Amino acid sequence: MGVKNLWDILESCKKILPLHHLQNKRVCIDLSCWIVQLQNSSKNTASVKDKMYLRGLFHRLRALLALNCTIVFVADGSIPAIKLDTYRKRLGLVNEAGTKTKKVLPLERNMGSEFSCMIKEAKVLGMALGIPCLDSLEEAEAQCALLNSESLCDGCFSSDSDIFLFGAKTVYRDMCLSDGGHIVCYEMLDIQQKLGYGRNSLITLAILLGSDYSHGVRGFGPETACKIVKAVGDDIILQQIRLEGLELIKKTKGKKREKSLITNKESNLVHEQNITGNVQNVLQRDQFVKVSDAYLKPKCRSPDSEEVRRAIVQYPFHRSKLQQACDGFFGWTPEKTDEYILPKIGERDLRRFSNLRSTLSVVGVQVPLNEMPVPCPISSIIKQRKVQGSDCYEVAWEHLDGLKTSVVPADLIESACPERITEFQERETLRKNQKRKPRTKKSDKKAAVTELDLKLQALMLDIEVDSRPVSPLFPNGPPIEQKNSVQEEDSELQALLLDIEAESRPVSSLFSRRPPAEERSTVPEVDSKLQALLLDIEAERRPVSTVFSSCPPVEERNAVPDVDFKLQALSLDIEAENRPVSTVVCRRLPVKQRNVVPEVIDLLTPSPAIRVRQVSKYQQTFGSQIDVIDLCDSETDM
């Protein structure tokens, strides 16, 4: 129970901290308080039979072990003599509470009671998990407070508020595992700074309000008691009580009614009677001293005793013992027990490994992972996970019997072995690249095809951008200075056009008559180019003027100038009449008849009347004159 209403007085100093706050700390647990809390949390008839309190204890312990907490159970010893009246009242022995004896001795606890059996079971479970238990001489909270004040532990778990009166510095009142877990914490430093209460002030509040060691002073509530304590001060409050006893209380309480005592004698008389009645119901001064000494000098085991030394030493985890205990208490199979506890044990080992590396780093020693004196508990990371919104990793354990894989927080792995995370990321990158290889090949092929298409398009644009005739621009062919530069490109153009047009018509319909043998022998190159160009005209059925972008070399033109100009005249005639080339027969004249007017024979229409065509003269750049057929007449004129 502790001090009446003390938790309400200290409410402003309460802090809710995450369970992670207990990481790597040593804590003492008032085992009796925890058993009472867990038993009250499941108030049903089957809770004791099903050992629900023991299951709750098991889950609390496994959560603390995962945080690498060093846990020490502290059990109650004998009942203090000053607490016997309170103890009998709790047991319902009211008639024996007021019995007076000359000398009251501490009472040994009944080890065969139901509650004592529950404590024994908790000890067995704790020993299987490697948690020692320290049996105190009297009060367990007093022993916890002594260990905390001597810095042998970082905090105490207890729900008895009088633990502050025994000298505790940090007290964890409650613990919750839901929603990530949290603890309710009180710091003595906060109590002194916010409320102005030290240890002496809290002992005075216990005397006035009542506690396990005193019934309190009748007529005093929390507000009045706090005002009296603050008025006197923490430094001298206990000394004044030891010297003056009730007189100090009378003075402090009577100051508020001093004015009314002077003005009203009758009320003063009544007030004196009330004080007399209160005096009869309060403890005497020697009783105040006993209560204060019980808090200031409790019977505990010395911090340098052998029992305390054994209790603060870390014990190993016994897997087989735990399996037997869980089988006997809960009926769990060994596999189920391992499923519950082994991941937490692995997480605890990983935190210890992280602490070792951080210690070496602080000293200035950087040791690679494979050269650590203690092997890393994790062999590799399997995959990345999300647990309740937190980043985690599924890892494979090494040198941990019975545990292959489990999920561990990501921040813990980053602090313990960041090399494992780097290895995992490299493997993932390599795996993703291997999956993307076929796509990469396909894209390379597409890129090659695209590049080829671009080159072909560029070549086609160079050949024929607007699909316009070349003859209006160059009626006599390109200038002479450009012909030599584009000779090679012209031949490539002709070959490319022949490859593109796969459906070209037969060449036999174009040539009904070939030139004589002497002409073929004299100008074989010009004749072959003429045939190729006529084939292209037939395939595309386009104006001939768009095909002849270049003429034979200069030496060939000088040799046979009349052939070149006759070819141009023939193409102009075909374009003007807009008729298929297959209906026209090109006939070349012998060398002797080149100065005579050539004939153009139309095989599709009846022979027209013979009419002498006009012959125009054309002045060539070479200085000589040649005959050119005038084809400007229409067929009706003919």
Side-chain angles (χ1 to χ4, degrees):
M1 181 189 71
V3 182
K4 294 178 181 178
N5 302 318
L6 184 58
W7 289 124
D8 296 334
I9 296 173
L10 304 179
E11 181 67 22
S12 60
C13 301
K14 181 175 70 173
K15 294 186 293 185
I16 306 296
L17 301 177
L19 191 61
H20 191 74
H21 177 76
L22 298 177
Q23 179 180 342
N24 302 323
K25 291 186 177 181
R26 185 190 299 274
V27 293
C28 294
I29 298 174
D30 187 351
L31 189 56
S32 300
C33 290
W34 264 27
I35 295 298
V36 172
Q37 283 182 351
L38 295 170
Q39 187 180 12
N40 293 336
S41 62
S42 56
K43 293 182 178 180
N44 53 55
T45 56
S47 62
V48 177
K49 184 178 179 181
D50 296 338
K51 301 186 184 302
M52 297 300 296
Y53 61 92
L54 208 56
R55 294 191 185 191
L57 177 64
F58 174 77
H59 290 296
R60 283 189 177 188
L61 294 178
R62 62 190 286 266
L64 294 178
L65 288 175
L67 296 173
N68 192 31
C69 280
T70 303
I71 306 171
V72 179
F73 282 162
V74 180
D76 287 316
S78 302
I79 301 171
I82 195 173
K83 191 180 177 181
L84 285 178
D85 290 344
T86 305
Y87 182 72
R88 290 192 178 100
K89 284 183 179 180
R90 290 177 183 174
L91 296 178
L93 304 176
V94 182
N95 295 332
E96 300 180 7
T99 58
K100 296 181 180 180
T101 58
K102 293 182 179 180
K103 187 177 181 180
V104 180
L105 299 176
L107 181 63
E108 295 290 335
R109 296 185 182 272
N110 184 8
M111 303 307 294
S113 65
E114 185 179 7
F115 189 78
S116 297
C117 292
M118 296 166 66
I119 297 295
K120 289 179 182 179
E121 293 172 348
K123 289 181 180 180
V124 171
L125 187 63
M127 289 299 294
L129 292 169
I131 300 173
C133 183
L134 175 62
D135 293 323
S136 62
L137 295 177
E138 290 186 350
E139 296 279 32
E141 61 265 29
Q143 187 70 58
C144 292
L146 179 61
L147 296 178
N148 188 209
S149 61
E150 295 292 334
S151 300
L152 295 177
C153 68
D154 299 305
C156 311
F157 273 97
S158 180
S159 58
D160 286 341
S161 57
D162 55 0
I163 191 172
F164 293 106
L165 283 64
F166 290 114
K169 297 179 181 179
T170 303
V171 178
Y172 305 114
R173 183 183 179 185
D174 200 1
M175 175 179 177
C176 180
L177 299 179
S178 60
D179 299 331
H182 68 270
I183 53 175
V184 180
C185 178
Y186 294 85
E187 296 280 351
M188 192 64 190
L189 184 62
D190 295 337
I191 296 173
Q192 291 175 348
Q193 292 177 351
K194 294 182 178 180
L195 302 178
Y197 299 146
R199 184 180 179 183
N200 295 334
S201 298
L202 296 178
I203 293 175
T204 306
L205 288 176
I207 294 174
L208 298 177
L209 298 176
S211 64
D212 292 341
Y213 296 165
S214 66
H215 301 291
V217 179
R218 184 176 296 178
F220 279 84
E223 295 182 1
T224 305
C226 291
K227 289 180 181 178
I228 292 175
V229 171
K230 287 184 179 180
V232 178
D234 183 71
D235 296 333
I236 61 173
I237 185 67
L238 287 182
Q239 296 178 1
Q240 293 293 330
I241 287 180
R242 285 174 179 271
L243 294 176
E244 301 181 20
L246 291 177
E247 296 297 329
L248 176 65
I249 299 174
K250 291 178 184 179
K251 292 179 181 179
T252 309
K253 189 176 181 179
K255 287 181 181 179
K256 300 180 180 179
R257 300 184 182 180
E258 183 176 357
K259 187 175 182 180
S260 63
L261 290 174
I262 297 174
T263 56
N264 194 343
K265 294 182 180 180
E266 295 180 358
S267 61
N268 187 19
L269 181 60
V270 173
H271 179 64
E272 289 178 356
Q273 293 177 355
N274 292 333
I275 291 177
T276 304
N278 290 333
V279 170
Q280 294 176 357
N281 296 316
V282 298
L283 297 171
Q284 299 298 324
R285 184 169 55 184
D286 58 345
Q287 188 67 20
F288 284 130
V289 174
K290 289 181 180 180
V291 173
S292 60
D293 288 343
Y295 287 118
L296 293 173
K297 301 175 182 179
K299 290 183 179 181
C300 299
R301 297 191 183 277
S302 175
D304 55 355
S305 63
E306 184 66 20
E307 292 80 5
V308 174
R309 188 188 64 81
R310 288 199 304 264
I312 62 177
V313 175
Q314 294 183 355
Y315 286 84
F317 161 67
H318 299 282
R319 181 187 174 195
S320 59
K321 290 184 179 180
L322 181 63
Q323 291 176 351
Q324 293 176 2
C326 292
D327 184 19
F329 295 149
F330 317 126
W332 291 349
T333 61
E335 291 77 12
K336 187 174 182 179
T337 304
D338 291 343
E339 182 182 353
Y340 274 124
I341 196 63
L342 289 183
K344 303 300 180 181
I345 297 298
E347 190 173 337
R348 181 192 66 179
D349 295 342
L350 188 60
R351 291 189 188 277
R352 291 179 179 177
F353 184 81
S354 175
N355 294 338
L356 178 60
R357 296 201 74 179
S358 62
T359 303
L360 293 175
S361 179
V362 170
V363 175
V365 180
Q366 299 294 335
V367 182
L369 185 64
N370 55 354
E371 297 180 5
M372 288 291 294
V374 179
C376 180
I378 294 178
S379 60
S380 63
I381 297 177
I382 300 175
K383 63 176 67 174
Q384 196 170 6
R385 292 289 189 88
K386 277 278 189 181
V387 178
Q388 295 180 353
S390 301
D391 294 331
C392 298
Y393 288 104
E394 183 178 351
V395 300
W397 296 96
E398 191 173 8
H399 306 301
L400 189 57
D401 188 21
L403 181 63
K404 294 182 179 180
T405 62
S406 67
V407 179
V408 178
D411 56 349
L412 176 57
I413 301 179
E414 290 176 359
S415 61
C417 47
E419 295 85 352
R420 296 288 186 248
I421 298 179
T422 304
E423 295 174 1
F424 170 73
Q425 292 175 349
E426 291 176 355
R427 289 199 310 271
E428 287 295 308
T429 303
L430 181 61
R431 183 178 61 83
K432 291 179 180 179
N433 292 337
Q434 290 177 352
K435 286 185 176 181
R436 293 176 182 175
K437 273 188 177 180
R439 296 182 181 178
T440 306
K441 289 183 179 179
K442 195 175 288 186
S443 62
D444 291 344
K445 185 177 179 181
K446 288 182 179 179
V449 174
T450 305
E451 185 179 358
L452 184 61
D453 290 342
L454 290 176
K455 290 181 180 180
L456 182 59
Q457 292 176 8
L459 184 59
M460 295 296 293
L461 288 175
D462 292 339
I463 295 170
E464 199 169 14
V465 178
D466 298 327
S467 297
R468 292 177 296 180
V470 183
S471 57
L473 296 176
F474 301 102
N476 296 323
I480 297 175
E481 59 273 7
Q482 297 181 4
K483 291 178 181 179
N484 295 330
S485 62
V486 298
Q487 182 177 0
E488 296 180 358
E489 296 181 2
D490 205 20
S491 60
E492 293 178 1
L493 169 63
Q494 296 174 10
L496 179 62
L497 292 175
L498 289 174
D499 293 338
I500 293 174
E501 297 293 336
E503 298 179 355
S504 58
R505 298 172 181 266
V507 187
S508 58
S509 61
L510 294 174
F511 301 96
S512 60
R513 183 177 179 182
R514 297 186 65 186
E518 59 271 19
E519 295 180 10
R520 292 200 303 271
S521 60
T522 55
V523 285
E525 295 183 0
V526 177
D527 198 13
S528 61
K529 288 186 178 181
L530 175 62
Q531 295 176 11
L533 291 174
L534 290 174
L535 283 174
D536 182 63
I537 295 170
E538 174 65 16
E540 292 191 359
R541 295 187 178 181
R542 292 179 294 182
V544 183
S545 58
T546 62
V547 179
F548 293 91
S549 61
S550 63
C551 294
V554 179
E555 57 273 8
E556 294 180 10
R557 291 200 307 273
N558 294 334
V560 283
D562 56 331
V563 178
D564 193 10
F565 287 100
K566 288 177 182 180
L567 177 62
Q568 293 181 8
L570 179 62
S571 64
L572 290 173
D573 183 56
I574 296 171
E575 183 177 357
E577 293 184 1
N578 196 16
R579 290 180 296 176
V581 185
S582 59
T583 61
V584 181
V585 178
C586 299
R587 178 182 180 185
R588 299 184 61 185
L589 300 176
V591 180
K592 299 178 179 180
Q593 299 179 5
R594 286 180 182 176
N595 295 328
V596 184
V597 178
E599 296 182 5
V600 178
I601 301 174
D602 189 355
L603 301 178
L604 299 181
T605 58
S607 299
I610 298 174
R611 187 178 65 87
V612 179
R613 296 180 181 271
Q614 296 179 358
V615 178
S616 61
K617 299 296 183 177
Y618 178 79
Q619 184 69 26
Q620 199 176 9
T621 56
F622 308 112
S624 59
Q625 294 181 351
I626 61 174
D627 295 337
V628 180
I629 301 174
D630 187 3
L631 301 178
C632 296
D633 297 336
S634 62
E635 284 191 321
T636 55
D637 295 337
M638 292 170 59

